[in-house]
Amino acid sequence: MSNLTFPIELWEGFKPSHIEQHDRSLKIHLTPTSRPRCHCGTEAQHIHDTSIRRVSERTILDYSVTLMVPVRRLLCHQCGTRTEHISWLKPFSRITERLANFVQSLCPLLPIKHLAQLVGLHWHTVKELDKARLRREVREPKWGQVRRLVMDEFALFKGHRYATVIADADTHQVLWIGEGRSRAAIRPFFEMLGEHCENIEAVAMDMNTAFDLEVQEHCPNAQVVYDLFHVIAKYGREVIDRVRVDCANELKGDKKARQRVKRSRWVLLKNRTNMSDKQQSYLDELLDANRSLMVVYLLKEQLKELWYCKDEETARGLWDVWWQQVQESGIEPLIRFANKLESYLPGIVASATHPLHTCRLEGMNNKIKLMKRMAYGYRDTEYFFLKIKAAFPGDPR
Ligand SMILES: [Zn+2]
């Protein structure tokens, strides 16, 4: 094909000279229609040299399109030897801005793999485009307004490495994510926060970390609060699971009852209000038949009350009652758990003064796990972190 003219100027400063067709793909050779311009705006008098760049363009009626672009280097009297400025093609880029924008507009809607197939680009190219989009879109936090934080850790790929996420407890914007879960790992966050550290009033976290020491070092006015979500998760692992296994072992002779106990983990940890009638009656039967399970289940519910008190004094009163019942229960894993928990009591009763919505933290934790499963193939930590930040942009204050 030759002498083909398009009714509109598709590539500013260039026009097609000839087009080759191979199966379902078109190779469009372009030729300049004007003198090259430098990035400073100066029109060049001298062309230094020209090289042909292969550039991917959006498809035309199901035909994939490659442009052959003669990119010129010019001699600018101000800047010296420079590559010409092309309005629709970034320096060194091998895809047009039109295609890049199209891909980026679809990134929130399609998985990278499918999008790459659709536009005929390598998934790596699509991922880099999405990364550029996220970098542009993720909002810088208003550091001076941050008062309360929540911190959480999560396992990175395959669980060999960890990362820590820090969010604003009030807006739920993710402020920072870093690899690791040690004190040193989170230090860059506080260094970045700088003078605003003084504004921090409360920080919610899992009691199983060394974060509290780091917080105390940087934020002189912050109260550490241990969040309900993590304490109950720990209770599930260290108390309910143990007692459940012991119960199941005692029921060796009764296969049906044993199975019932073995499969009960979920129903024991779930909130009763979120259960169907069938699940509730299953739970009731289970608890009726196993005294220890009943005790640890009820004491779990009672322990939760500590996070919903109107003041710290009430919370301490509830703790004393709970503590007494634990000691009287004679259930070893429960007593061990309570003994360990006691040293964290100031950070637990503090939630009466600083109620930090633990259900939001739990929701965040779950959403990150889900995103990890979807982003697993990329092994690109920076990309994954950007996606998390974009997923938690924060509510308006
Ligand atoms: Zn110039």
Side-chain angles (χ1 to χ4, degrees):
M1 285 189 266
S2 62
N3 290 330
L4 202 131
T5 51
F6 286 96
I8 42 172
E9 190 184 41
L10 289 173
W11 302 286
E12 188 182 29
F14 295 83
K15 64 174 189 196
S17 57
H18 67 281
I19 301 177
E20 296 170 49
Q21 186 201 337
H22 309 277
D23 297 327
R24 304 293 288 172
S25 62
L26 299 176
K27 190 188 272 183
I28 304 178
H29 295 259
L30 297 184
T31 185
T33 55
S34 58
R35 280 181 195 276
R37 273 186 190 281
C38 178
H39 286 263
C40 71
T42 310
E43 194 174 279
Q45 300 306 318
H46 302 286
I47 293 169
H48 189 274
D49 57 28
T50 302
S51 57
I52 305 294
R53 197 190 299 174
R54 273 178 91 95
V55 175
S56 297
E57 177 57 289
R58 279 188 68 171
T59 59
I60 298 178
L61 301 174
D62 290 342
Y63 285 82
S64 69
V65 177
T66 305
L67 303 177
M68 303 303 279
V69 189
V71 178
R72 294 157 290 181
R73 279 202 304 162
L74 49 84
L75 210 58
C76 173
H77 57 79
Q78 286 185 49
C79 314
T81 310
R82 287 286 182 274
T83 303
E84 70 171 307
H85 170 72
I86 301 173
S87 61
W88 45 272
L89 184 64
K90 282 210 172 120
F92 310 107
S93 181
R94 298 205 162 262
I95 64 174
T96 64
E97 283 300 278
R98 183 186 288 118
L99 177 57
N101 293 336
F102 177 65
V103 170
Q104 287 176 331
S105 72
L106 290 176
C107 278
L109 307 172
L110 286 175
I112 288 183
K113 200 176 136 193
H114 296 171
L115 185 49
Q117 276 166 5
L118 179 75
V119 296
L121 293 173
H122 194 270
W123 68 263
H124 183 264
T125 312
V126 175
K127 187 193 77 177
E128 289 304 314
L129 284 169
D130 196 25
K131 239 164 126 172
R133 174 186 72 92
L134 292 168
R135 272 194 213 107
R136 242 179 9 241
E137 286 181 4
V138 169
R139 261 186 325 119
E140 179 75 6
K142 290 174 180 151
W143 296 111
Q145 293 181 12
V146 180
R147 293 294 177 273
R148 308 190 304 163
L149 304 170
V150 291
M151 306 180 70
D152 199 7
E153 57 174 54
F154 59 91
L156 277 173
F157 309 107
K158 284 194 171 171
H160 298 311
R161 283 149 52 222
Y162 287 83
T164 301
V165 55
I166 301 179
D168 185 317
D170 298 297
T171 66
H172 307 108
Q173 180 181 14
V174 166
L175 304 171
W176 185 88
I177 314 173
E179 271 198 63
R181 53 175 176 174
S182 64
R183 283 185 66 173
I186 60 168
R187 198 159 297 146
F189 169 76
F190 293 104
E191 284 164 0
M192 187 181 65
L193 195 57
E195 57 177 355
H196 302 304
C197 281
E198 289 199 3
N199 297 335
I200 303 301
E201 295 161 7
V203 186
M205 65 180 74
D206 182 358
M207 61 183 180
N208 263 16
T209 64
F211 293 162
D212 54 342
L213 300 172
E214 196 64 20
V215 167
Q216 278 154 5
E217 189 174 318
H218 296 279
C219 307
N221 304 313
Q223 166 74 56
V224 169
V225 182
Y226 298 112
D227 72 279
L228 169 65
F229 163 61
H230 282 108
V231 174
I232 294 303
K234 195 172 158 68
Y235 188 92
R237 288 191 306 271
E238 296 184 7
V239 181
I240 292 185
D241 283 352
R242 289 286 165 77
V243 172
R244 203 166 49 85
V245 170
D246 290 346
C247 278
N249 289 340
E250 279 169 24
L251 291 166
K252 271 205 176 93
D254 186 343
K255 206 175 168 193
K256 208 175 157 200
R258 187 162 182 252
Q259 282 300 328
R260 187 194 293 277
V261 170
K262 281 184 88 174
R263 292 189 190 135
S264 62
R265 178 169 211 273
W266 179 82
V267 84
L268 286 165
L269 289 171
K270 198 174 160 93
N271 277 330
R272 202 179 180 94
T273 42
N274 300 337
M275 284 182 198
S276 67
D277 291 348
K278 203 178 154 194
Q279 288 162 348
Q280 290 203 17
S281 58
Y282 179 89
L283 177 64
D284 290 339
E285 278 174 44
L286 181 80
L287 296 180
D288 278 346
N290 303 280
R291 185 203 156 262
S292 311
L293 270 186
M294 169 73 102
V295 171
V296 295
Y297 178 80
L298 291 178
L299 286 177
K300 179 194 79 173
E301 294 303 308
Q302 222 171 304
L303 179 62
K304 283 186 185 172
E305 298 293 319
L306 254 68
W307 275 265
Y308 299 102
C309 292
K310 63 180 194 321
D311 54 54
E312 297 198 14
E313 204 189 321
T314 311
R316 280 185 187 277
L318 275 186
W319 165 267
D320 290 339
V321 174
W322 188 79
W323 174 260
Q324 192 61 36
Q325 283 171 307
V326 167
Q327 302 306 320
E328 284 167 8
S329 76
I331 299 169
E332 268 310 311
L334 179 58
I335 295 171
R336 268 201 306 275
F337 180 84
N339 287 344
K340 268 192 279 175
L341 195 61
E342 196 180 19
S343 57
Y344 296 97
L345 191 58
I348 294 172
V349 299
S351 59
T353 314
H354 302 283
L356 300 163
H357 295 286
T358 194
C359 53
R360 294 295 288 259
L361 184 66
E362 192 178 355
M364 191 162 94
N365 201 289
N366 288 335
K367 197 165 168 182
I368 288 175
K369 273 189 204 145
L370 190 74
M371 290 174 62
K372 187 170 68 179
R373 223 169 297 152
M374 297 200 298
Y376 181 78
Y378 306 120
R379 311 286 174 107
D380 180 337
T381 310
E382 192 201 351
Y383 179 56
F384 183 37
F385 287 0
L386 274 168
K387 280 185 88 82
I388 294 173
K389 283 185 184 170
F392 301 95
D395 315 327
R397 271 174 210 275

